[in-house]
Amino acid sequence: MAHTFEELVHKRRAADQAQHRVEELRDSYGPPTQQQWTRRQSQTYETAVRAWRDLDRDAQTAMTEYVKEEGKDQGQSRHKLEAKVRKAVQDG
């Protein structure tokens, strides 16, 4: 599947937001190993972690595909492309 740079930015932003949500829950609930969470808290946290993992995997897969398809033609390394995506996420 062909991806655009804008899609990479969107996918990375979604993954970063999901990570932020996990961190918010951890801050709110306390460390999972040091506190007794309610069943609902555990389920909410586990769902958030799964969403983060899935979104991050999708972003990484899209990046890999983009580098294979477009990066070689443009002479961009994965590292440089990831840096450009991160900057676009921060700026946008």
Side-chain angles (χ1 to χ4, degrees):
M1 169 188 255
H3 296 280
T4 65
F5 182 80
E6 291 76 24
E7 287 175 320
L8 296 179
V9 172
H10 176 75
K11 287 177 182 288
R12 175 50 41 209
R13 184 174 289 123
D16 289 353
Q17 288 172 343
Q19 178 183 6
H20 182 70
R21 176 67 177 142
V22 168
E23 291 167 355
E24 285 177 338
L25 290 171
R26 198 176 301 140
D27 289 345
S28 175
Y29 297 165
T33 57
Q34 295 180 358
Q35 301 230 333
Q36 184 65 30
W37 288 356
T38 66
R39 182 176 178 162
R40 184 176 184 143
Q41 287 174 321
S42 293
Q43 289 172 338
T44 300
Y45 183 78
E46 289 169 12
T47 299
V49 168
R50 279 193 304 275
W52 171 28
R53 181 195 62 216
D54 293 347
L55 290 166
D56 189 64
R57 182 192 59 233
D58 291 348
Q60 291 294 329
T61 300
M63 177 70 69
T64 298
E65 291 171 358
Y66 185 86
V67 169
K68 285 180 182 177
E69 296 169 6
E70 304 291 330
K72 287 188 263 182
D73 296 338
Q74 297 175 9
Q76 293 185 38
S77 71
R78 182 182 178 115
H79 177 74
K80 287 181 182 178
L81 183 59
E82 286 178 344
K84 284 176 68 175
V85 169
R86 288 274 181 204
K87 179 161 178 26
V89 168
Q90 291 173 354
D91 293 345

